[in-house]
């Protein structure tokens, strides 16, 4: 006589059920994919970006009506956005802005100052304005990179700007506690931003990564979104930097 066991499907509660996630730069790429993932995990999402038409399309994509079009680098507009939020929020992901690669000697002083400070100033302004709006234990998540850790021709000031983000994140985590602050450091991610930076070299770069990365594939925005949602849901994480580059920094 034999007995058979029937597999039982284990259902779990959505990780962000009943929570609200704000995406600063949520109309494309990593921000949009994180919005999609957060919605799958039960969250309400608020998308922000500069382009109203792209925001409208993104909102329809992820199934939310909550959007705000403004320039995140405008302190007054950023302040108004958080002041006008109708309810408290739980998590904020900042993906606005992008890297600028150029030889140092081709950059003037003003550009060097901007490249060194832009991400930190934006992060500080978001943290300052979000502090009174976020629930205790919520997560503020910044985007950085691993590629800038290497010194090389053409990287310009990117290496210095990259190095500043982890200690800034840790210091802000102490000041904003019990709000949690963390940094995601990504390598190449196959997004519209990457396509705009590489132009007709995009396919070449994809093939190179598939051949050399230990994971044997290119990192996509869904990979980063999964990490972002984990950081939001795991309340033990703060002040830390989380690399996600498929091993890129070890093989290039």
């Amino acid at each position: 006589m034999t007995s058979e066991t029937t597999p039982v499907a284990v259902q779990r509660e959505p990780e962000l059920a009943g929570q609200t996630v704000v995406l600063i730069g949520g109309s494309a790429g990593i921000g949009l994919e994180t919005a999609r993932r957060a919605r799958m995990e039960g969250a309400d999402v608020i998308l922000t970006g500069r382009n109203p038409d792209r925001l409208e399309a993104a909102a329809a994509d992820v199934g939310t009506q909550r959007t705000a079009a403004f320039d995140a680098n405008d302190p007054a507009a950023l302040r108004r956005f958080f002041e006008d939020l109708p309810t408290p929020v739980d998590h904020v992901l900042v993906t606005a802005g992008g890297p600028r690669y150029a030889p140092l000697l081709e950059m003037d002083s003003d550009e060097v100052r901007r490249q060194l400070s832009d991400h930190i100033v934006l992060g500080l302004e978001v943290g300052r304005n979000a502090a009174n709006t976020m629930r205790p234990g919520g997560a503020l998540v910044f985007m950085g990179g691993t590629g800038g850790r290497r010194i090389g021709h053409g990287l310009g000031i990117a290496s210095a700007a990259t190095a500043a983000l982890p200690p800034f994140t840790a210091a802000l985590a102490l000041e904003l506690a019990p709000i949690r602050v963390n940094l995601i450091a990504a390598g190449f991610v196959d997004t519209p931003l990457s396509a705009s930076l590489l132009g007709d070299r995009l396919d070449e770069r994809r093939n190179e990564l598939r051949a050399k990365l230990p994971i044997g594939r290119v990192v996509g925005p869904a990979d980063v979104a999964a990490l972002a949602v984990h950081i939001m849901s795991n309340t033990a994480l703060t002040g830390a930097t989380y690399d996600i580059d498929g091993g890129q920094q070890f093989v290039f």
Side-chain angles (χ1 to χ4, degrees):
M1 182 176 178
T2 61
S3 61
E4 295 182 358
T5 58
T6 302
V8 178
V10 178
Q11 293 186 340
R12 65 172 180 84
E13 288 294 319
E15 292 184 328
L16 301 178
Q19 300 182 33
T20 300
V21 178
V22 173
L23 291 308
I24 305 292
S27 63
I30 292 169
L32 178 58
E33 196 62 42
T34 302
R36 186 178 292 111
R37 179 76 177 225
R39 289 286 290 156
M40 289 173 57
E41 292 296 340
D44 187 15
V45 301
I46 302 173
L47 302 179
T48 80
R50 295 183 183 184
N51 187 310
D53 293 333
R54 283 176 53 180
L55 276 177
E56 184 178 348
D61 185 0
V62 301
T64 182
Q65 299 298 317
R66 305 181 69 178
T67 65
F70 64 93
D71 182 354
N73 290 301
D74 179 343
L78 189 67
R79 182 176 63 253
R80 286 194 300 271
F81 166 71
F82 280 104
E83 288 177 348
D84 292 344
L85 286 175
T87 57
V89 301
D90 297 278
H91 312 291
V92 179
L93 173 67
V94 183
T95 62
R100 166 79 165 90
Y101 300 114
L104 284 171
L105 296 180
E106 294 180 8
M107 303 173 72
D108 61 32
S109 298
D110 288 339
E111 188 172 8
V112 169
R113 290 189 187 95
R114 285 196 303 271
Q115 293 303 315
L116 280 174
S117 64
D118 272 1
H119 275 75
I120 285 179
V121 170
L122 175 58
L124 182 59
E125 288 300 316
V126 171
R128 191 196 318 274
N129 287 287
N132 295 326
T133 305
M134 295 178 66
R135 293 187 178 95
L140 174 57
V141 185
F142 300 129
M143 286 298 308
T146 61
R149 292 174 185 170
R150 297 185 62 183
I151 308 299
H153 288 293
L155 288 178
I157 206 68
S159 298
T162 296
L165 285 172
F168 164 73
T169 299
L172 193 61
L174 291 178
E175 294 205 16
L176 288 182
I179 294 170
R180 300 176 294 113
V181 186
N182 291 284
L183 172 67
I184 294 176
F188 176 92
V189 183
D190 203 346
T191 65
L193 175 61
S194 298
S196 69
L197 291 172
L198 289 173
D200 58 9
R201 294 180 50 244
L202 178 61
D203 286 336
E204 176 187 344
R205 184 57 169 161
R206 286 169 173 162
N207 291 334
E208 182 183 31
L209 290 165
R210 292 187 189 104
K212 292 186 178 181
L213 287 183
I215 63 172
R217 65 176 180 86
V218 178
V219 176
D223 298 307
V224 184
L227 176 58
V229 168
H230 174 69
I231 292 171
M232 293 172 188
S233 64
N234 188 329
T235 57
L237 306 179
T238 195
T241 298
Y242 298 91
D243 291 0
I244 179 166
D245 67 358
Q248 178 180 331
Q249 60 191 306
F250 307 122
V251 295
F252 283 94

